[in-house]
């Protein structure tokens, strides 16, 4: 085995190994050669080479999303690390551990007009939990900075940045390391014990409690707690497709329930106590409702962070949600409340209207999603891109055995495909990405890698532009809208599929979609596949708006 000659590179590699971090995504370059040589030469590390840095970062994000342990991104100097930034921001807001190691020129080479030099120190300052700006020589102080960065990424669940200056020669190697880093044990800070007494008192005396779950990892809540909440008449639990939480009495299609509410309905739903947990919430309507009809109290339960999304936050309870709800239900008496039963009666009516409406509409985005959801296999990892895709997904009940993920930290379309492929690489289940045409085309370099599993599938809804802008307020059929908002186009994925070696299927109506989905999920493909569904451009918004009126 060979090692880089540069001691600082030896230190970084040995520390990563000592801390058990073995996922390395390398963006090819020259300045990072000492790290590339060292990581790729040691069989302990699983190394991936992704040429496009933006794709590489989201690829690593997808892996970390699944493993819940940091992926390490390694890049050269200059603009390379700036292309990591969208994924860094997503990791920051989605609480996903990510470690960026950027190679840099020595300090004296910065701002003198030398090539590939930018001000790399603290470049992610607004969206990084820790910045380790190393000096050129290996040292105990550098070793501590590296280990602090790793500890923060793991314990605070987010991105950190290690900037490492290397001087030439970069490619020299040695048979043995010449530097041994000073390793330290950094313990995870213990959370202070929470006194639940005052919270439990309010809980036990509140007949209208709304529990809203944002983005969560599958299996985060104990079955005992799920059943306690689901069978409590004083509690309404609202989930989203990204909550990965299921119970017959949970409201999983929020917009279907509240979009057509009257003033009296909203007042009847207005909770006395709002409890939130998890990450970002997709539904704009539930956010608008809770901002206008504020609860008397709002608690957010999360060990690390709380956002005042509804401008009503009273308490950030730094505890595991299971611990919190167990405390609330310990020795508690059931409150006789009509709150949950009223909501469930409404939902039953909405579901009937939902099914009846979908049976009678023409082929469109909404109809395509309905057919897709009916054909999704029982066990898979479902990745959903942002914009219209995640919003349509909110309107359907998803099988509990399907694990759902979406980059809701920044809600950007820029890396959905790359994230899905990274997640697919380490997932033990088949992975399906549902995406729109603009997001797919924007991140098409995601297909440029050697690691995509053969059971990875993309379902691409192509309506000829950014259909989300037709749904949002402000749509007008004019040149400015079509060109600068909707991004009207006549492109398809057929040539990309051929270039990157994907099976390619198409659908243009209900019959061809049914047939193509059956083939997509039943055939034993020897390579990944794309199913491109062509839907009309100009009727989708009317069909969706009419849906909320009719149900």
């Amino acid at each position: 085995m060979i090692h880089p000659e540069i001691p600082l590179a030896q230190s970084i590699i040995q520390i990563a190994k000592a801390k058990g971090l073995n996922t390395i995504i390398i963006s090819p370059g020259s300045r990072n050669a000492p790290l590339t040589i060292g990581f790729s030469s040691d069989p302990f590390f699983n190394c991936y080479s992704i040429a496009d840095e933006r794709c590489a970062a989201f690829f690593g994000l997808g892996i970390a999303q699944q493993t819940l342990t940091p992926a390490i991104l390694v890049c050269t100097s200059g603009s390379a690390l700036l292309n990591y930034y969208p994924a860094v921001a997503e990791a920051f807001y989605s609480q996903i551990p990510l470690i960026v190691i950027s190679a840099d020129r020595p300090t004296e080479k910065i701002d003198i007009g030398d090539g590939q030099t930018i001000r790399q120190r603290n470049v992610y300052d607004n969206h990084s939990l820790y910045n380790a700006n190393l000096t050129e020589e290996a040292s105990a102080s550098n070793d501590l900075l590296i280990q602090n960065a790793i500890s923060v990424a793991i314990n605070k669940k987010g991105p950190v940045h290690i900037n490492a200056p290397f001087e030439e020669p970069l490619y020299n190697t040695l048979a043995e390391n010449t530097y041994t880093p000073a390793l330290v044990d950094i313990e995870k800070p213990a959370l202070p014990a929470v006194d639940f007494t005052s919270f439990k008192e309010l809980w036990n005396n509140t007949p209208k409690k709304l529990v809203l779950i944002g983005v969560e990892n599958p299996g985060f809540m104990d079955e005992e707690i799920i059943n306690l909440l689901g069978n409590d008449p004083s509690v309404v639990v609202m989930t989203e497709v990204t909550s990965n939480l299921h119970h017959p009495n949970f409201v999983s299609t929020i917009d279907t329930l509240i979009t057509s509410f009257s003033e009296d309905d909203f007042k009847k739903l207005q909770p006395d106590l709002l409890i939130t947990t998890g990450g970002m919430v997709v539904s704009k309507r539930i956010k608008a409702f809770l901002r206008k009809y504020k609860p008397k109290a709002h608690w957010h339960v999360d060990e690390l962070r709380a956002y005042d999304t509804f401008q009503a936050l009273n308490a950030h309870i730094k505890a595991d949600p299971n611990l919190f709800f167990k405390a609330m239900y310990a020795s508690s008496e059931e409150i006789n409340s009509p709150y949950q039963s009223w909501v469930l009666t409404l939902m039953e009516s909405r579901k009937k209207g939902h099914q009846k409406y979908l049976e009678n509409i023409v082929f469109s985005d909404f109809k395509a999603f309905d057919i897709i959801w009916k054909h999704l296999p029982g066990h898979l990892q479902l990745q959903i891109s942002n914009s219209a895709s995640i919003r349509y997904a909110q309107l359907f009940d998803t099988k509990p055995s399907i694990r759902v993920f979406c980059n809701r930290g920044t809600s950007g379309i820029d890396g959905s495909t790359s994230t899905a492929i990274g997640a697919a690489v380490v997932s033990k289940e088949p992975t399906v990405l549902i995406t729109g045409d603009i997001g797919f085309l924007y991140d098409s370099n995601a297909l440029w890698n050697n690691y995509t599993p053969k059971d990875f599938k993309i379902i691409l809804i192509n309506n000829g532009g950014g259909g989300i802008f037709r749904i949002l307020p402000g749509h007008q059929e004019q040149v400015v809208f079509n060109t600068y908002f909707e991004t009207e186009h006549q492109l398809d994925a057929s040539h990309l599929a051929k270039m990157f070696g994907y099976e390619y299927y198409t659908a243009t109506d209900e019959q061809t979609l049914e047939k193509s989905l059956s083939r997509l999920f039943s055939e034993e493909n020897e390579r990944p596949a794309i199913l491109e569904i062509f839907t009309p451009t100009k009727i989708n918004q009317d069909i969706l708006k009419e849906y909320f009126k009719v149900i």
Side-chain angles (χ1 to χ4, degrees):
M1 193 166 68
I2 60 173
H3 306 273
E5 183 182 61
I6 297 176
L8 181 59
Q10 295 177 23
S11 171
I12 293 169
I13 294 161
Q14 290 180 79
I15 290 172
K17 186 173 183 178
K19 301 300 179 181
L21 304 180
N22 65 349
T23 299
I24 315 294
I25 295 88
I26 298 171
S27 301
S30 181
R31 187 60 48 172
N32 57 334
L35 295 172
T36 300
I37 291 167
F39 281 126
S40 63
S41 298
D42 190 332
F44 171 81
F45 297 106
N46 298 318
C47 295
Y48 304 90
S49 177
I50 308 286
D52 184 317
E53 280 92 359
R54 189 184 70 201
C55 295
F58 278 108
F59 179 90
L61 182 88
I63 292 176
Q65 173 201 84
Q66 296 297 303
T67 63
L68 304 180
T69 57
I72 295 177
L73 309 175
V74 178
C75 70
T76 190
S77 62
S79 61
L81 71 160
L82 300 183
N83 289 301
Y84 283 166
Y85 210 138
V88 170
E90 178 63 35
F92 179 82
Y93 288 108
S94 288
Q95 294 184 256
I96 295 175
L98 207 60
I99 299 172
V100 175
I101 305 178
S102 57
D104 200 358
R105 303 291 176 105
T107 305
E108 64 272 13
K109 298 289 181 68
I110 308 302
D111 287 338
I112 65 169
D114 209 8
Q116 281 191 292
T117 55
I118 65 169
R119 299 171 187 176
Q120 295 184 192
R121 295 163 63 91
N122 305 318
V123 75
Y124 306 121
D125 203 24
N126 284 333
H127 298 96
S128 176
L129 298 179
Y130 189 88
N131 296 298
N133 296 302
L134 308 182
T135 55
E136 190 177 341
E137 299 300 324
S139 64
S141 58
N142 273 341
D143 298 340
L144 183 59
L145 287 173
I146 297 164
Q147 291 169 90
N148 281 338
I150 292 172
S151 174
V152 169
I154 294 170
N155 295 327
K156 295 190 176 181
K157 300 178 184 177
V160 298
H161 178 207
I162 300 171
N163 192 59
F166 298 129
E167 181 57 285
E168 297 177 4
L170 303 170
Y171 293 89
N172 290 354
T173 61
L174 301 169
E176 299 290 340
N177 283 315
T178 57
Y179 180 80
T180 301
L183 297 175
V184 295
D185 289 326
I186 301 175
E187 294 184 4
K188 180 179 180 179
L191 287 172
V194 179
D195 184 354
F196 293 115
T197 306
S198 61
F199 298 114
K200 186 171 180 178
E201 184 177 346
L202 182 57
W203 171 276
N204 284 332
N205 290 282
T206 302
K208 291 170 65 178
K209 299 185 278 283
L210 177 61
V211 177
L212 177 60
I213 314 291
V215 175
E216 277 288 9
N217 291 313
F220 82 97
M221 188 172 283
D222 295 344
E223 199 67 30
E224 175 193 1
I225 301 300
I226 293 172
N227 289 325
L228 285 169
L229 290 169
N231 296 317
D232 188 334
S234 69
V235 173
V236 170
V237 178
M238 289 186 171
T239 67
E240 298 197 299
V241 68
T242 50
S243 302
N244 289 295
L245 196 65
H246 304 273
H247 187 278
N249 292 342
F250 289 177
V251 176
S252 60
T253 54
I254 299 171
D255 288 356
T256 300
L257 173 68
I258 70 172
T259 298
S260 58
F261 263 13
S262 65
E263 183 83 7
D264 288 342
D265 290 330
F266 278 126
K267 288 180 179 178
K268 199 170 180 180
L269 182 63
Q270 183 177 14
D272 297 318
L273 173 61
L274 170 66
I275 300 171
T276 56
T277 189
M280 305 300 185
V281 172
V282 176
S283 172
K284 294 180 70 173
R285 291 180 173 93
I286 194 65
K287 285 185 274 192
F289 159 64
L290 289 169
R291 286 166 184 163
K292 183 176 180 181
Y293 300 88
K294 294 184 186 299
K296 294 176 184 176
H298 172 205
W299 307 336
H300 186 76
V301 184
D302 185 282
E303 293 181 334
L304 295 172
R305 274 189 261 176
Y307 295 111
D308 192 8
T309 305
F310 314 106
Q311 288 91 53
L313 187 67
N314 302 101
H316 175 197
I317 302 172
K318 295 183 179 181
D320 177 86
N322 289 294
L323 179 66
F324 168 77
F325 284 115
K326 281 180 182 176
M328 294 304 100
Y329 280 108
S331 305
S332 64
E333 295 183 6
E334 185 175 288
I335 299 174
N336 185 17
S337 168
Y339 191 48
Q340 186 188 90
S341 62
W342 171 69
V343 169
L344 294 181
T345 300
L346 279 177
M347 277 307 302
E348 191 62 33
S349 173
R350 295 285 198 269
K351 287 179 179 179
K352 291 177 182 177
H354 170 93
Q355 192 57 42
K356 185 176 180 181
Y357 182 78
L358 281 162
E359 287 172 359
N360 296 294
I361 61 173
V362 299
F363 191 66
S364 56
D365 285 357
F366 200 6
K367 187 66 174 179
F369 271 86
D370 180 44
I371 296 170
I372 291 166
W373 244 249
K374 289 174 179 175
H375 280 76
L376 287 175
H379 291 274
L380 57 83
Q381 175 192 169
L382 183 62
Q383 295 274 339
I384 307 175
S385 72
N386 279 303
S387 280
S389 295
I390 189 61
R391 285 174 170 82
Y392 276 113
Q394 297 294 104
L395 305 177
F396 297 90
D397 289 325
T398 304
K399 296 181 180 78
S401 56
I402 295 176
R403 306 187 311 126
V404 183
F405 301 89
C406 179
N407 287 345
R408 290 306 297 175
T410 64
S411 304
I413 65 167
D414 37 6
S416 296
T417 309
S418 297
T419 303
I421 294 174
V425 166
V426 294
S427 174
K428 296 179 181 179
E429 303 162 305
T431 300
V432 174
L433 167 68
I434 298 178
T435 185
D437 48 345
I438 300 300
F440 173 79
L441 293 169
Y442 194 90
D443 194 27
S444 59
N445 264 359
L447 308 182
W448 180 20
N449 72 83
N450 298 318
Y451 312 105
T452 307
K454 65 180 182 180
D455 60 358
F456 176 70
K457 296 172 175 63
I458 297 173
I459 299 176
L460 165 60
I461 293 92
N462 187 343
N463 55 26
I468 185 67
F469 292 103
R470 289 180 172 270
I471 298 171
L472 298 175
H475 163 244
Q476 292 181 344
E477 201 65 43
Q478 54 183 251
V479 173
V480 169
F481 173 83
N482 292 348
T483 303
Y484 297 106
F485 288 89
E486 187 184 34
T487 323
E488 196 173 34
H489 69 86
Q490 283 78 46
L491 303 174
D492 64 56
S494 60
H495 294 290
L496 284 169
K498 183 178 181 180
M499 181 167 70
F500 291 111
Y502 278 63
E503 298 284 352
Y504 180 69
Y505 310 100
T506 62
T508 55
D509 54 30
E510 292 183 44
Q511 291 71 37
T512 54
L513 179 53
E514 295 266 3
K515 183 178 178 180
S516 292
L517 283 167
S518 295
R519 292 182 62 193
L520 185 73
F521 291 124
S522 64
E523 292 184 356
E524 288 291 330
N525 293 328
E526 290 303 313
R527 52 185 184 166
I530 296 172
L531 166 56
E532 186 164 20
I533 306 165
F534 295 94
T535 59
T537 301
K538 295 184 179 180
I539 63 170
N540 294 305
Q541 73 278 9
D542 296 328
I543 289 173
L544 189 60
K545 289 174 183 176
E546 187 66 16
Y547 166 75
F548 291 117
K549 292 179 184 177
V550 169
I551 63 167

